C-alpha cells in the first residue's frame, strides 16, 4: 500500500481540526525520494520564534516551528489547509541542506498537493488474477478522520469495471498499523484483504460488497469492530465499543 517516507506528525495543533491527515497524506503521497519509511519527521508548534530549534540526528527528525494558532483558527478550512501545507513545506526546507534532501522534490510535493486541492486520493497498482482476465486495485479516499477503502475491479481490456466501497475505516489503520497492506486475489473471482489473524475481507463482480470471512467468535468480531469506522464522543467510548 502507500508508504509514508518519512512519517510526518504535527504536534500541539487544536484537536478540533479534523483535516490534518488530509494535508499530511496529500504532501506525503506527492513527496518522492526524501527520507525512508523508517524515519519520522516531527513538527512541534511553538508560540514564539525564540523557541524555534531542530534536532535532526538519527531516525527521528524533530523541528520546532513558530505557528500563529489564533490566526489559523480564524481562517476558512481551505486556507487552514494551505497554511499547514506551507508549514510542512517550510519545515522540510529548513533541514534540507543539512540532510541532503532535494529541495526541488519538496517544492514539487507542495505544488502537486495544491493541484490535488490538498485532498487525498490514492490508487494502488493493479494486480491480475491467475487467469489474467481480471485486475484488482485498491483506492483510498480520506475525508477528515475517515478513510474510505474501495476495490476497483476490471475485466480484460476494461470491458467491465466496478468500484466497490468495501469498508470505511480509521486513518491509523493505514498510516500507523498498516492493517490493510496485504491485498490480493484469493481465487479467480474474489479480491480483497487478508489479515495476519486469518480473517479476510473481499468482494467480486458477483458480490459487489465487502464480505468478511471469519468465525463468529469474539476475537474476530472485536477485530472487525476495531477497523470499522465509527464516530465516538471519547476514547473510553471507542475502547468500550471495540471490546463490547
Amino acid at each position: 500500500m502507500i508508504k509514508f517516507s518519512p512519517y510526518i506528525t504535527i504536534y500541539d495543533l487544536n484537536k478540533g481540526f479534523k483535516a490534518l491527515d488530509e494535508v499530511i497524506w496529500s504532501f506525503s503521497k506527492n513527496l518522492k525520494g526524501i527520507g525512508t519509511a523508517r524515519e519520522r519527521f516531527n513538527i512541534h508548534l511553538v508560540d514564539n520564534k525564540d523557541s524555534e530549534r531542530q534536532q535532526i540526528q538519527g531516525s527521528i527528525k524533530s523541528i520546532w516551528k513558530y505557528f500563529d494558532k489564533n490566526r489559523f483558527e480564524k481562517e476558512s478550512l481551505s486556507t487552514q489547509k494551505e497554511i499547514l501545507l506551507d508549514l510542512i513545506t517550510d519545515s522540510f526546507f529548513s533541514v534540507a541542506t543539512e540532510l541532503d534532501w532535494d529541495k526541488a522534490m519538496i517544492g514539487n510535493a507542495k505544488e502537486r498537493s495544491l493541484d490535488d486541492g490538498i485532498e487525498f486520493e490514492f490508487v494502488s497498482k493493479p494486480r491480475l488474477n491467475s487467469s489474467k482476465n481480471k485486475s484488482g486495485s485498491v483506492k483510498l479516499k480520506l475525508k477528515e478522520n475517515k478513510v474510505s477503502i474501495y476495490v476497483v475491479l476490471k475485466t480484460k481490456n476494461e470491458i467491465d469495471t466496478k468500484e466497490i466501497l468495501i469498508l470505511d475505516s480509521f486513518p491509523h489503520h493505514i498510516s500507523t498499523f498498516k492493517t490493510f497492506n496485504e491485498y490480493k486475489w484469493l481465487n479467480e473471482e474474489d479480491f480483497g484483504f487478508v489479515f495476519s489473524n486469518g480473517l479476510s475481507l473481499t468482494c467480486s463482480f458477483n458480490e459487489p460488497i465487502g464480505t468478511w470471512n471469519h468465525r463468529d467468535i469474539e476475537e474476530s468480531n472485536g477485530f472487525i469492530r476495531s477497523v470499522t469506522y465509527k464516530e465516538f464522543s471519547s476514547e473510553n467510548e471507542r475502547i468500550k465499543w471495540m471490546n463490547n
Side-chain angles (χ1 to χ4, degrees), residues 34-52:
I34 302 293
T36 71
R38 293 187 297 275
E39 291 180 313
R40 299 183 66 92
F41 192 85
N42 298 333
I43 303 172
H44 301 268
L45 307 182
V46 295
D47 57 9
N48 64 82
K49 288 188 176 293
D50 291 338
S51 297
E52 291 191 332

Side-chain angles (χ1 to χ4, degrees), residues 98-123:
E98 294 172 80
L99 295 175
D100 196 27
W101 285 354
D102 190 329
K103 291 184 179 181
M105 294 294 189
I106 297 170
N108 287 340
K110 176 184 177 179
E111 292 306 314
R112 289 172 181 158
S113 298
L114 289 171
D115 290 343
D116 294 338
I118 320 181
E119 295 180 353
F120 178 83
E121 182 175 305
F122 169 82
V123 181

Side-chain angles (χ1 to χ4, degrees), residues 113-163:
S113 298
L114 289 171
D115 290 343
D116 294 338
I118 320 181
E119 295 180 353
F120 178 83
E121 182 175 305
F122 169 82
V123 181
S124 71
K125 293 181 179 180
R127 294 182 176 176
L128 296 172
N129 64 357
S130 297
S131 300
K132 298 184 178 181
N133 60 1
K134 299 184 183 72
S135 70
S137 57
V138 176
K139 176 184 284 189
L140 304 177
K141 293 183 179 181
L142 177 66
K143 186 66 175 177
E144 295 187 349
N145 59 351
K146 178 174 71 175
V147 56
S148 297
I149 305 174
Y150 297 81
V151 161
V152 181
L153 299 178
K154 297 180 180 181
T155 55
K156 192 172 183 179
N157 299 324
E158 300 185 9
I159 295 174
D160 193 9
T161 300
K162 284 188 182 295
E163 182 174 300

Side-chain angles (χ1 to χ4, degrees), residues 87-100:
L87 170 72
I88 295 171
T89 306
D90 290 344
S91 297
F92 271 74
F93 277 143
S94 296
V95 300
T97 299
E98 294 172 80
L99 295 175
D100 196 27

